[in-house]
């Protein structure tokens, strides 16, 4: 009898902590969601703009776009966040921690998203543009009516991947004092001296958010596929 | 009837890097005329067609459309293309749009025409090419021949003065060639001005008012189908015709 109780006690203790602390993550979840959504939306917008810069015939704009991408891809996101939050105030550019995190995350995913878009755009067969231009469309018309819709559809799988990475990258905002899921978990761990159940909660929340996100992306992909045989 | 000049090509030269593909082409296309362009591979047939609607930039020479000399400004070229329809070897339908939307997109986006009016017209065009029942399906669900007929309807929707066909049946399975040629033939009988690059000699002979034989970037010989196919003068045309027939 004692043997069985001994076997169960750690589980009971574990889940007692889990159920006690899980609801206390409510604000943290909101933060993580806000960070993710902003970095995804702004990142997509930045990505689209940077893609357009890369595809213009103006060499200067192209250079700027590629410089931006090389910086973002060439340095860790963690450093970028430190730089925005602790470095920029030194030259008089001061943002609060949340704004800093949004800027950092959006600029970061923007660079990767722009490469995803560019890849998708150049993968559209040149015959598509020729057909559009032969009808009499301008470059801009053919880009927005013919090329971009097809490229967007083609970019959805990689875009989804990038969105998932953006959710996980939001955990790095913890280093600049934002009490999103990861920092909250760290604080509760320190308070309870019992990190395992707390980190378990954090993991479950991330998993649920990402599963919902990837399920909706799958659905979107399916709906965009109506024009295939 | 055949007096109005739709296209006039004057001393057209075109090179790709060091390779001179067109070496001075002169060609007049009158209203209602059907002209077939034949010649071996690499003779410049497709390049000539692509230069006429500026998908390739010419190096030298002049192109007049409806008596107007076309300059290189983007605006002018876009305007010209509205008047010059093009049908491609590989159809190039827009895969993300239904058949009906493919036919409608030109007039709606470029001419900003009323959608209902455009739709009515598009359905009529699809009926003319025998595809009115396919209006709501996507191109991927059609056979090559059906796709090419949609491409013809799409070009016609812009109400062009002339249609350019760049080997319209070369990418088709043999049993699908007939349905496309039938549509082109119907257009010819309706008085449409057309310039057709083709390998279908029987068809060229039957449908054309004039046949142009291109060889190494020059017009080697041109004349009525009977002159070209039954009485070829130049040695090259003779050997070309005997090689394909």
């Amino acid at each position: 009898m004692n043997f069985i109780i001994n076997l169960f006690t750690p589980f009971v203790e574990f889940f007692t902590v889990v159920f006690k602390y899980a609801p206390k993550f409510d604000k943290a979840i909101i933060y993580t969601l806000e960070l993710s959504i902003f970095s995804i939306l702004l990142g997509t917008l930045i990505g689209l703009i940077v893609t357009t810069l890369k595809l213009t015939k103006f060499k200067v704009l192209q250079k700027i776009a590629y410089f931006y991408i090389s910086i973002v891809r060439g340095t860790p996101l963690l450093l970028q966040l430190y730089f925005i939050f602790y470095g920029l105030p030194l030259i008089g550019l001061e943002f609060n921690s949340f704004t800093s995190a949004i800027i950092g995350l959006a600029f970061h995913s923007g660079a990767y998203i722009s490469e995803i878009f560019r890849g998708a755009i150049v993968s559209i067969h040149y015959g598509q543009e020729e057909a559009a231009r032969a009808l009499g469309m301008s470059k801009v018309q053919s880009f927005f009516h013919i090329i971009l819709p097809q490229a967007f559809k083609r970019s959805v799988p990689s875009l989804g991947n990038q969105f998932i990475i953006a959710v996980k990258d939001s955990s790095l905002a913890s280093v600049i004092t934002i009490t999103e899921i990861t920092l909250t978990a760290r604080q509760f761990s320190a308070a309870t001296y019992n990190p395992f159940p707390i980190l378990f909660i954090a993991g479950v929340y991330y998993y649920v958010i990402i599963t919902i996100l990837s399920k909706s992306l799958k659905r979107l992909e399916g709906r965009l596929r109506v024009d295939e045989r | 009837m055949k007096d109005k000049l739709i296209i006039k090509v004057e001393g057209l030269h075109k090179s790709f890097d060091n390779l001179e593909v067109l070496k001075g082409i002169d060609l007049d296309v009158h209203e209602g005329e059907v002209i077939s362009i034949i010649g071996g591979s690499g003779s410049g047939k497709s390049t000539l067609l692509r230069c006429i609607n500026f998908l390739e930039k010419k190096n030298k020479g002049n192109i007049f459309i409806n008596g107007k000399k076309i300059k290189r400004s983007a605006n002018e070229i876009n305007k010209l293309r509205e008047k010059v329809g093009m049908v491609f070897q590989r159809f190039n339908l827009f895969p993300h749009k239904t058949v009906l939307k493919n036919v409608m997109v030109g007039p709606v986006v470029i001419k900003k025409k009323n959608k209902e009016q455009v739709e009515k017209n598009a359905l009529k065009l699809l009926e003319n090419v025998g595809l009115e029942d396919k209006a709501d399906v996507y191109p991927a669900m059609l056979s090559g021949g059906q796709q090419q007929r949609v491409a013809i309807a799409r070009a016609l929707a812009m109400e062009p003065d002339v249609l350019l066909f760049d080997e319209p049946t070369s990418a088709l399975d043999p049993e699908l060639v007939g349905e496309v040629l039938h549509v082109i033939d119907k257009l010819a009988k309706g008085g449409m001005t057309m310039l057709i690059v083709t390998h279908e000699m029987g068809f060229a002979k039957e449908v054309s008012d004039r046949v142009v034989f291109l060889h190494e970037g020059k017009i080697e010989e041109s004349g009525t189908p009977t002159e070209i196919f039954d009485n070829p003068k130049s040695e090259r045309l003779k050997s070309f015709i005997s090689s394909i027939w």
Side-chain angles (χ1 to χ4, degrees):
Chain A
M1 193 62 195
N2 255 351
F3 167 74
I4 294 178
I5 290 173
N6 282 345
L7 202 66
F8 274 103
T9 320
F11 284 98
V12 174
E13 278 171 6
F14 182 86
F15 281 104
T16 312
V17 180
V18 166
F19 284 114
K20 184 175 171 206
Y21 281 90
K24 299 189 178 176
F25 274 78
D26 54 346
K27 287 211 183 79
I29 293 168
I30 304 279
Y31 266 133
T32 291
L33 286 178
E34 278 178 350
L35 288 170
S36 308
I37 289 168
F38 273 117
S39 92
I40 286 171
L41 291 183
L42 285 178
T44 307
L45 185 68
I46 293 173
L48 203 56
I49 293 169
V50 174
T51 308
T52 327
L53 293 187
K54 279 187 292 195
L55 297 174
T56 57
K57 50 188 170 193
F58 302 110
K59 283 265 160 11
V60 191
L61 296 179
Q62 286 178 15
K63 285 252 161 64
I64 293 173
Y66 279 107
F67 179 69
Y68 156 69
I69 291 169
S70 77
I71 293 294
V72 169
R73 292 209 296 195
T75 58
L77 174 57
L78 193 59
L79 276 187
Q80 293 164 16
L81 290 172
Y82 279 136
F83 176 76
I84 293 168
F85 189 57
Y86 298 112
L88 287 185
L90 301 178
I91 56 165
L93 273 173
E94 203 167 337
F95 305 105
N96 65 32
S97 59
F98 190 72
T99 314
S100 300
I102 299 280
I103 293 173
L105 293 170
F107 265 85
H108 187 80
S109 47
Y112 288 94
I113 290 172
S114 81
E115 283 294 272
I116 291 172
F117 280 149
R118 191 184 63 92
I121 287 168
V122 299
S123 79
I124 303 296
H125 192 263
Y126 65 87
Q128 289 293 307
E129 170 150 22
E130 280 191 351
R133 302 301 303 277
L135 275 177
M137 285 192 200
S138 67
K139 264 203 156 127
V140 176
Q141 284 170 333
S142 109
F143 182 73
F144 283 104
H145 289 276
I146 305 302
I147 307 299
L148 199 56
Q150 295 182 54
F152 177 73
K153 184 188 142 188
R154 215 170 272 190
S155 65
V156 167
S158 338
L159 216 48
N161 229 358
Q162 191 57 43
F163 289 173
I164 288 168
I165 292 172
V167 174
K168 297 198 224 180
D169 278 353
S170 74
S171 65
L172 288 173
S174 60
V175 301
I176 54 171
T177 74
I178 294 174
T179 47
E180 43 65 73
I181 294 176
T182 303
L183 184 53
T184 306
R186 210 181 299 151
Q187 288 170 348
F188 287 153
S189 304
T192 57
Y193 295 111
N194 195 0
F196 188 42
I198 302 287
L199 294 176
F200 176 78
I201 301 171
V204 168
Y205 280 136
Y206 277 119
Y207 185 79
V208 168
I209 293 172
I210 288 168
T211 305
I212 293 171
L213 179 62
S214 67
K215 283 252 151 51
S216 2
L217 285 163
K218 264 265 141 38
R219 187 173 295 178
L220 175 67
E221 228 177 284
R223 276 174 53 180
L224 288 173
R225 209 176 276 153
V226 289
D227 58 352
E228 284 161 28
R229 192 189 281 267
Chain B
M1 179 193 157
K2 288 177 184 172
D3 47 4
K4 193 186 163 201
L5 211 52
I6 301 276
I7 298 176
K8 186 177 179 62
V9 177
E10 239 178 34
L12 180 67
H13 286 257
K14 170 69 191 174
S15 308
F16 294 103
D17 297 321
N18 290 325
L19 181 69
E20 198 175 15
V21 180
L22 298 179
K23 303 167 180 167
I25 301 277
D26 298 293
L27 182 69
D28 289 351
V29 184
H30 295 87
E31 187 171 31
E33 226 179 353
V34 177
I35 298 179
S36 292
I37 302 172
I38 61 171
S41 106
S43 59
K45 314 177 296 284
S46 291
T47 307
L48 170 60
L49 220 56
R50 292 167 60 83
C51 281
I52 290 177
N53 77 349
F54 288 75
L55 285 176
E56 304 291 351
K57 279 184 186 162
K58 61 183 162 58
N59 295 105
K60 224 162 68 184
N62 292 315
I63 295 170
F64 299 85
I65 307 288
N66 289 330
K68 190 165 173 261
K69 187 172 161 182
I70 304 300
K71 292 193 218 93
R72 252 196 211 156
S73 87
N75 256 341
E76 209 162 292
I77 290 174
N78 293 343
K79 272 272 168 290
L80 143 89
R81 287 180 176 142
E82 291 180 25
K83 294 278 131 210
V84 181
M86 178 112 178
V87 175
F88 297 88
Q89 184 178 353
R90 306 223 61 106
F91 335 132
N92 295 344
L93 291 181
F94 306 131
H96 61 302
K97 291 180 180 296
T98 61
V99 164
L100 182 64
K101 290 275 157 58
N102 262 279
V103 181
M104 288 173 64
V105 69
V108 169
V109 170
I110 301 161
K111 294 186 173 171
K112 315 253 184 281
K113 278 194 174 170
N114 171 287
K115 264 195 188 163
E116 273 169 43
Q117 196 60 44
V118 173
E119 188 177 326
K120 220 185 269 172
N121 191 34
L123 285 169
K124 204 184 290 164
L125 287 169
L126 285 176
E127 201 185 316
N128 287 346
V129 298
L131 289 170
E132 66 275 27
D133 55 329
K134 300 287 184 192
D136 294 320
V137 308
Y138 287 92
M141 288 121 195
L142 300 181
S143 73
Q146 290 171 328
Q147 291 195 44
Q148 193 60 297
R149 279 143 66 197
V150 175
I152 294 172
R154 176 177 70 179
L156 288 172
M158 290 298 287
E159 297 170 329
D161 293 334
V162 54
L163 268 187
L164 311 178
F165 290 87
D166 187 6
E167 303 193 24
T169 59
S170 298
L172 297 177
D173 291 340
E175 77 270 21
L176 301 175
V177 168
E179 60 188 70
V180 172
L181 294 184
H182 175 74
V183 168
I184 301 175
D185 187 43
K186 222 165 96 181
L187 287 172
K189 295 207 167 91
M192 187 76 207
T193 314
M194 293 189 280
L195 211 52
I196 308 168
V197 169
T198 185
H199 290 294
E200 298 288 332
M201 296 305 152
F203 177 73
K205 189 176 177 184
E206 194 181 308
V207 78
S208 320
D209 299 306
R210 206 143 50 92
V211 179
V212 172
F213 173 61
L214 231 57
H215 183 76
E216 288 178 355
K218 282 190 186 134
I219 294 182
E220 181 86 15
E221 201 170 326
S222 82
T224 64
T226 326
E227 285 169 349
I228 293 292
F229 291 110
D230 299 339
N231 280 311
K233 289 187 195 72
S234 77
E235 283 308 312
R236 284 183 184 126
L237 178 55
K238 275 180 200 165
S239 77
F240 177 72
I241 286 178
S242 65
S243 76
I244 49 160
W245 244 337

